[in-house]
């Protein structure tokens, strides 16, 4: 496999696990997403509307997402350039539609597809702990992500599911490295929803509280 995509709600640890991946294995390199808008700049390259439109015309935008009043996009070169240097690019996706779009448009890339998850109350706790100014929007995005999984066809979509409220970042990174270097078995729908604590029948949250690390 030549690239990793991390799917998950806000505060599930996508940035933290990516940093851990880089610390345990130098092959990994985060994709720098394009961002049109305001707010946090770490991990992004800001572009204006004109530059983003120019990249669209060149068919270089693999996927773009609108959230928090901003536009986030993945430039194809940010995926292929690290691969040419023997690196394993890592990107983050927040909804199933965008994930399928990315997988389809970057079809020549062999993806390891990882779902990072936390309960709703842990999302809120982490957002407060890192002093987000828009915690209600983060929690609403968690709700949207849970509904996204429930409403979408997730059969065989993920190779690995990690509960980051139960797994420390280094252990999660090592699990991803192992899966990358071996042939992972895709996660079935029932197993996926059981791991997340969601009901596949009605999309409701069965377990909203965290549990200690095993």
């Amino acid at each position: 496999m030549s690239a990793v995509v991390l799917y998950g709600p806000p505060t599930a640890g996508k940035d933290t696990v990516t940093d851990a991946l880089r610390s345990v294995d130098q092959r990994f390199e985060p994709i720098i997403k394009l961002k049109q808008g305001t707010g946090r700049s770490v991990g992004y390259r800001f572009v204006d509307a004109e530059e983003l439109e120019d990249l669209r015309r060149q068919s270089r935008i693999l996927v773009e997402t609108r959230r928090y009043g901003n536009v986030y996009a993945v430039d194809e070169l940010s995926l292929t350039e690290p691969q040419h240097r023997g690196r394993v690019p890592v990107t983050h996706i927040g909804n199933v539609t965008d994930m399928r779009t990315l997988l389809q448009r970057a079809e020549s890339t062999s993806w390891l597809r990882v779902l990072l998850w936390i309960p709703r109350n842990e999302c809120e706790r982490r957002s407060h702990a890192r002093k987000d100014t828009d915690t209600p929007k983060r929690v609403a995005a968690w709700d949207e992500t849970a509904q996204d999984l429930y409403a979408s066809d997730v059969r065989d979509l993920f190779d690995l599911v990690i509960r980051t409220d139960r797994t420390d970042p280094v252990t999660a990174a090592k699990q991803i490295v192992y899966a990358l270097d071996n042939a992972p078995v895709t996660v079935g729908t029932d197993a996926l929803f059981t791991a997340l604590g969601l009901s596949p029948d009605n999309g409701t949250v069965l377990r909203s509280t965290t549990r200690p690390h095993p």
Side-chain angles (χ1 to χ4, degrees):
M1 293 183 175
S2 55
V4 176
V5 55
L6 304 178
Y7 170 103
T11 78
K14 295 185 289 291
D15 288 333
T16 303
V17 171
T18 299
D19 288 342
L21 280 169
R22 298 176 70 190
S23 71
V24 302
D25 193 319
Q26 294 301 308
R27 290 178 296 171
F28 294 97
E29 183 173 314
I31 285 177
I32 303 300
K33 280 189 174 182
L34 306 177
K35 183 176 182 179
Q36 180 198 342
T38 61
R40 182 179 170 211
S41 60
V42 176
Y44 301 105
R45 181 171 76 82
F46 275 91
V47 295
D48 58 24
E50 183 177 356
E51 182 177 0
L52 187 59
E53 181 57 33
D54 183 55
L55 293 172
R56 291 190 189 108
R57 286 194 294 268
Q58 297 178 53
S59 299
R60 279 178 45 182
I61 299 300
L62 294 175
V63 64
E64 61 181 271
T65 304
R66 286 169 171 78
R67 179 166 278 183
Y68 312 125
N70 300 316
V71 179
Y72 304 87
V74 175
D75 181 354
E76 184 177 20
L77 288 185
S78 68
L79 173 67
T80 57
E81 194 276 332
Q83 290 174 317
H84 292 156
R85 292 187 283 104
R87 301 285 185 166
V88 178
V90 181
T91 194
H92 306 161
I93 291 292
N95 66 79
V96 170
T97 297
D98 285 350
M99 184 166 174
R100 290 197 181 280
T101 297
L102 175 68
L103 298 177
Q104 180 180 17
R105 291 182 178 172
E107 59 184 355
S108 62
T109 294
S110 179
W111 292 94
L112 177 70
R113 305 158 301 172
V114 182
L115 195 164
L116 302 180
W117 193 254
I118 51 170
R120 188 178 191 273
N121 67 327
E122 177 66 3
C123 171
E124 185 173 19
R125 186 196 70 76
R126 289 183 179 184
S127 184
H128 283 304
R130 68 187 193 185
K131 296 180 170 54
D132 289 337
T133 60
D134 57 353
T135 293
K137 290 183 178 180
R138 305 286 168 173
V139 176
W142 187 99
D143 292 335
E144 292 170 2
T145 305
Q147 181 60 27
D148 182 43
L149 288 170
Y150 168 63
S152 303
D153 181 2
V154 294
R155 291 173 296 177
D156 301 325
L157 182 59
F158 296 102
D159 303 301
L160 186 63
V161 177
I162 300 174
R163 284 281 297 265
T164 61
D165 57 314
R166 303 175 181 174
T167 310
D168 66 83
V170 172
T171 300
K174 290 179 179 178
Q175 290 176 359
I176 293 171
V177 172
Y178 180 84
L180 185 80
D181 293 334
N182 294 274
V185 177
T186 54
V187 181
T189 303
D190 289 343
L192 185 149
F193 282 106
T194 296
L196 302 188
L198 300 175
S199 167
D201 297 322
N202 56 24
T204 59
V205 178
L206 296 178
R207 297 185 295 276
S208 62
T209 57
T210 59
R211 298 194 297 189
H213 294 285

